[in-house]
């Protein structure tokens, strides 16, 4: 059941990134980050009032997780404005999962078995390739790409803190933790809001809806950690980059590169190993 929840969370979070990726072509990315957090806060609050029980511990973990989420979004978009997509996105995705795994090992004392460990090791290059990463080219490492590399690492740190802190919220208060996370993230993104043309007023609604999808995904992620190693949920959720790639191929008929195809295949293999190891 926990594996199914983590896989569902991956699908929902990947769908959010697919929607926001389409919107980013027509609307300021930082505005998308704000409305995504705002939509997530509204949906989570509604879910909390209906299904969750308040827990004081949700305050600290949720608020700090939102700061991590906002930090990740701001640094990611800043990096994308300065450096190639194929550098910033894979670096942020891989650093996110590596840092989150490190936090789980250090603070939760988790020790995965051999199959799960092998799945984790396969998942790292899978995430890199699926997100569009390729073989590093030292000749192209100019000042802008170096800045993009550092910003990608910083974005990964922010998202890793979000995953780790949300995992500290008790299951019965999961919706409250996500609501606080998304509200805190929206507040942190608000100072960077940019005024856009009125003709684009439909885009905030779409980004807000994407935030609601993201909130559901994060809630399923938080719940999935109950009854299994946090490492397993983190790795499965972190393979979300393959969802925008697959959706882009199906909906927009975008060509899937050879690297992404290999990454998707490795992601599926890693998932199988993790599921087998968890059983």
């Amino acid at each position: 059941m926990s594996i199914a929840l983590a896989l569902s969370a991956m699908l929902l979070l990947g769908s959010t990134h697919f929607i926001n990726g389409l919107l980013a072509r027509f609307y300021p990315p930082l505005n998308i980050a704000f409305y995504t957090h705002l939509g997530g806060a509204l949906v989570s609050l509604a879910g909390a009032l209906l299904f969750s029980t308040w827990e004081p511990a949700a305050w600290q973990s949720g608020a700090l997780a939102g700061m991590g989420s906002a930090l990740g979004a701001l640094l990611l978009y800043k990096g994308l404005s300065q450096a190639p997509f194929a550098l910033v996105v894979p670096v942020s995705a891989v650093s996110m999962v590596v840092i989150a795994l490190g936090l789980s090992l250090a603070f939760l004392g988790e020790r995965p078995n051999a199959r799960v460990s092998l799945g984790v090791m396969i998942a790292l290059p899978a995430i890199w390739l699926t997100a569009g990463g390729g073989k590093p080219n030292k000749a192209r490492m100019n000042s802008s790409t170096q800045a993009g590399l550092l910003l990608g690492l910083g974005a990964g740190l922010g998202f890793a803190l979000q995953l780790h802190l949300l995992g500290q919220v008790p299951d019965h208060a999961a919706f409250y933790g996500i609501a606080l996370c998304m509200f805190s993230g929206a507040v942190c993104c608000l100072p960077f809001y940019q005024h856009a043309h009125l003709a684009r007023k439909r885009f905030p609604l779409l980004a807000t809806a994407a935030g609601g999808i993201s909130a559901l995904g994060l809630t399923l992620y938080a719940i999935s950690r109950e009854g299994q190693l946090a490492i397993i949920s983190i790795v499965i959720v972190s393979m979300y980059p393959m969802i925008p790639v697959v959706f882009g191929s199906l909906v927009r008929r975008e060509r899937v590169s050879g690297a992404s195809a290999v990454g998707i295949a490795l992601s599926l293999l890693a998932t199988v190993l993790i599921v087998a190891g968890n059983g």
Side-chain angles (χ1 to χ4, degrees), residues 5 9 12-13 40 43-44 52 166 171 173-179 212-225:
L5 291 173
L12 291 172
L13 293 173
V43 170
S44 298
S52 281
L166 287 179
D171 285 355
F175 273 112
Y176 278 110
I178 305 299
I213 297 172
S214 177
L216 294 176
L218 290 172
T219 302
L220 293 180
Y221 158 74
I223 297 174
S224 74
R225 292 176 49 139

Side-chain angles (χ1 to χ4, degrees), residues 110-150:
E110 297 187 339
R111 294 296 180 266
N113 59 38
R115 286 183 181 177
V116 172
S117 297
L118 180 59
V120 170
M121 288 187 288
I122 292 175
L124 296 178
I127 294 168
W128 174 271
L129 292 171
T130 305
K135 184 178 180 181
N137 189 337
K138 294 182 180 179
R140 297 181 182 176
M141 288 298 289
N142 52 35
S143 59
S144 64
T145 54
Q146 289 176 359
L149 176 63
L150 293 176

Side-chain angles (χ1 to χ4, degrees), residues 85-87 89-90 126-135 241 245 257 259-260:
F85 180 96
L87 171 69
V89 173
I127 294 168
W128 174 271
L129 292 171
T130 305
K135 184 178 180 181
V245 173
S257 67
S260 293

Side-chain angles (χ1 to χ4, degrees), residues 4-279:
L5 291 173
L7 289 170
S8 299
M10 179 191 69
L11 177 61
L12 291 172
L13 293 173
S15 299
T16 297
H17 283 271
F18 175 68
I19 296 170
N20 284 346
L22 295 179
L23 295 178
R25 300 182 181 185
F26 311 101
Y27 197 68
L30 293 180
N31 290 17
I32 294 174
F34 168 74
Y35 284 113
T36 299
H37 282 91
L38 182 62
L42 294 174
V43 170
S44 298
L45 180 59
L49 295 175
L50 291 172
F51 305 112
S52 281
T53 303
W54 171 246
E55 170 66 48
W59 271 111
Q60 183 176 2
S61 296
L64 292 177
M67 294 179 187
S69 178
L71 175 67
L74 294 173
L75 293 182
L76 177 63
Y77 292 135
K78 180 69 173 177
L80 290 175
S81 70
Q82 297 184 10
F85 180 96
L87 171 69
V88 179
V89 173
V91 166
S92 66
V94 173
S95 63
M96 174 188 73
V97 66
V98 169
I99 295 171
L101 291 175
L103 291 172
S104 295
L105 291 171
F107 294 101
L108 302 180
E110 297 187 339
R111 294 296 180 266
N113 59 38
R115 286 183 181 177
V116 172
S117 297
L118 180 59
V120 170
M121 288 187 288
I122 292 175
L124 296 178
I127 294 168
W128 174 271
L129 292 171
T130 305
K135 184 178 180 181
N137 189 337
K138 294 182 180 179
R140 297 181 182 176
M141 288 298 289
N142 52 35
S143 59
S144 64
T145 54
Q146 289 176 359
L149 176 63
L150 293 176
L151 290 168
L153 290 171
L157 172 62
F159 293 135
L161 289 174
Q162 180 193 26
L163 290 181
H164 178 73
L165 290 166
L166 287 179
Q168 312 308 308
V169 179
D171 285 355
H172 61 267
F175 273 112
Y176 278 110
I178 305 299
L180 288 165
C181 167
M182 301 303 266
F183 179 75
S184 173
V187 171
C188 292
C189 290
L190 185 58
F192 302 93
Y193 187 89
Q194 304 172 32
H195 292 287
H197 196 277
L198 290 177
R200 299 176 176 178
K201 60 183 179 181
R202 69 183 183 278
F203 295 130
L205 295 177
L206 294 173
T208 301
I213 297 172
S214 177
L216 294 176
L218 290 172
T219 302
L220 293 180
Y221 158 74
I223 297 174
S224 74
R225 292 176 49 139
E226 182 69 22
Q228 70 179 7
L229 296 176
I231 288 176
I232 294 174
S233 294
I234 289 170
V235 172
I236 291 177
V237 168
S238 298
M239 289 189 283
Y240 70 83
M242 72 176 178
I243 302 302
V245 173
V246 173
F247 281 7
S249 175
L250 296 175
V251 177
R252 296 178 58 86
R253 297 187 178 180
E254 297 173 347
R255 179 180 175 273
V256 178
S257 67
S260 293
V262 173
I264 291 172
L266 289 176
S267 296
L268 295 175
L269 175 59
T271 302
V272 170
L273 289 170
I274 291 171
V275 170
N278 194 49

